[in-house]
Structures are given as C-alpha cells and as structure tokens.
Amino acid sequence: MISPTERVIAEIDGPIGWMVMNNPAKLNAMSADMWAAIPPILDHFEKDPAVRIVVLKGAGEKAFISGADINRFDERKASAETEARDNENFRNALSRLETCPKPTIAMIRGYCLGGGLLVAMHCDMRIAAETARLGIPAAKLGIAYTFSGVQKVLDLVGPSNAKEMLFTARQFNGTEAQAMGLLNRAVPESELETFTRSYCTTMAENAPLSIAASKAVIAELMKLRGDIDRAKCEAIAKHCSDSADFAEGRRAFAEKRKPVFQGK
Ligand code: COA
C-alpha cells in the first residue's frame, strides 16, 4: 500500500506516478487525512526510479479539488491541538510538493478552488481543461488566503491579476486562467488526459538530473525577496479567522445561502 488512506490513490503507470484525490462526493475537498497522505506518497514516488513525473488529479469528472474541507474548520477551531496538527500536515504537504526533485504536474478538470488551487500552484506546472473553474473563494467565506497562497498567485499572475482573483473571488475558466499565466496549458476537456500523458512522456525522456537541477535553481532564485513583514500578514489573517464574518461564511456555506458580511 503506497497510500495511507483510500481518499488519496497512488498508482504508477509507465513513467507517471499518479496521485488521485478521491473524495468525489465532496468534489475532492481536502480532508485532514488527505493532506497527511501527500508526503508519504511523494516519498515513495521519489525513491522509485521508474517514476519520472508525478501527476495529481481529482477523481470523477467534476473537480480537481474544491478546496480545503470547509466543514473541518469548526472542528479545527474547537481544539488548538487539532488546529496545530492540521496546519502542520497542510504545510508539510505543500512543501513536499514544492521540494520533490521530480516534476509535479496538476491535471485540472472541473473545480480547482481555494486550497485546491494552492495544491495546483505548489506543483511545477498546471495543465487544465478549457472548461475548468479556477478561483480563490476566500473573500466569499471571510477567511484570509494563506501567505504562501498569495505569494504563489502573485508570482504566477502578477499583482493586478492576483488582486482581481482575490477581490472578486470569482471562478475563471481554463482559457482565462491560461491567459493570466495561472496555467501552462488549457486544452479541450476531451483531450486533457491524452495531452497530459504525452507531455509527461516528452519530459520523461529528458535527463532527470538536468530537470532536477533546473528545479533546484528556480526554487533558490524564487527566494530572492526584499524585507517582508510576514508577522504583520499573519496577524491580519488571524483577525479574519477570528472574525464574526468567517463564522457567518461557514454558516452560510452549510445552509447553502449567500453570506451577509459586516466587516468585523
Ligand atoms: N468543503 C466541504 N464540502 C464541500 C466543499 C468544500 N470545500 N466543496 C464542496 N463540498 C460539498 C458540498 O457541501 C456538497 O455536499 P452535500 O452533497 O453533502 O451537500 C458536495 O460537496 C457537492 O457540492 P455542491 O455545492 O452541492 O455542488 P455544486 O456543483 O452546486 O457547487 C461548488 C460546486 C464548488 C461551486 C461549491 O461546492 C462550493 O462553492 N464549494 C466550496 C468552494 C470553496 O469555498 N472552496 C474553498 C475552501 S478553502
């Protein structure tokens, strides 16, 4: 068994190590066990020389990942221990995706929202269906998008598009997302898997050490930043997650209605 949970399936097919987010009834929303499954699966793929490329996808036709599991937010808030463990799993999963020496690709069909986009943005490349729906609904819930999420979206699409995504919280289709630089490729939905497999085969024929070297250099160069007051950003994010508006956002999602926000 490569995966510790049935909610993430790991399988190797030729040069591709597939990681399938498998919670289709909830549009592959990421539960705590799913975040925790990512590092051990990547460890396995990393050690297996047959795996040249790692591809993440969602089970079913409707979603890559619809976000972090919103229903878990209340549980997390109820216990500092649960919150700390969840945060640790979440950070580890994203950091392992980023540091995996093999190329990681998000193959996106359907919804790719919030925490789902975070997963996709921590992969090296994103290939999506033109019909995919990508976005950051944080402002519809009353929560702050994570520091690393804002950093990623900014690096990919620049400040103007990043602000449009965060302020409108709307969904962008694959064609729009590619034009902004969020995606490497947007292809007709019927061709998504064939295109991704063939793109991966091309990369798998190239020299793994050369690819790993490029990935390491790019990661180091991306570290060049000026003075960043991260503590200030984290305090603002905490103010959001402690707010009455975030409680209203979670209630509204559960009650399937529009939230009414007060700014406090
Ligand atoms: N967390 C928990 N459950 C989720 C979820 C999430 N992020 N996204 C979807 N679901 C659940 C829904 O609650 C629903 O469960 P139910 O059948 O028990 O009621 C099921 O998945 C199907 O979703 P539904 O909303 O009925 O599908 P839809 O096609 O009408 O809408 C979305 C699809 C993606 C637009 C909508 O589900 C949505 O807005 N999800 C939340 C997206 C979000 O805010 N993500 C960021 C979280 S960090």
Side-chain angles (χ1 to χ4, degrees), residues 25-27 29 62 66 68-71 111 113 137 171 253 256:
K26 298 287 177 196
L27 305 180
K62 286 189 73 179
S66 65
D69 181 351
I70 297 173
N71 301 319
Y111 295 111
L113 302 173
Q171 294 169 8
F253 179 74
K256 299 189 188 284

Side-chain angles (χ1 to χ4, degrees), residues 11-102:
E11 54 196 21
I12 296 168
D13 181 10
I16 302 180
W18 288 94
M19 195 189 306
V20 187
M21 302 305 160
N22 184 34
N23 189 10
K26 298 287 177 196
L27 305 180
N28 305 319
M30 293 290 289
S31 52
D33 57 334
M34 291 165 80
W35 290 114
I38 292 178
I41 294 173
L42 287 175
D43 286 345
H44 187 95
F45 287 164
E46 204 175 308
K47 283 186 205 122
D48 186 337
V51 175
R52 292 293 187 87
I53 317 275
V54 177
V55 181
L56 279 71
K57 70 170 189 171
E61 302 296 307
K62 286 189 73 179
F64 173 68
I65 300 170
S66 65
D69 181 351
I70 297 173
N71 301 319
R72 174 86 177 170
F73 289 156
D74 280 322
E75 253 174 79
R76 286 172 52 150
K77 290 192 88 57
S79 145
E81 202 183 307
T82 309
E83 187 168 24
R85 197 181 49 237
D86 278 14
N87 283 343
E88 171 83 5
N89 282 337
F90 168 77
R91 273 197 299 268
N92 268 348
L94 295 176
S95 132
R96 283 293 285 110
L97 272 175
E98 203 165 22
T99 55
C100 173
K102 298 182 177 178

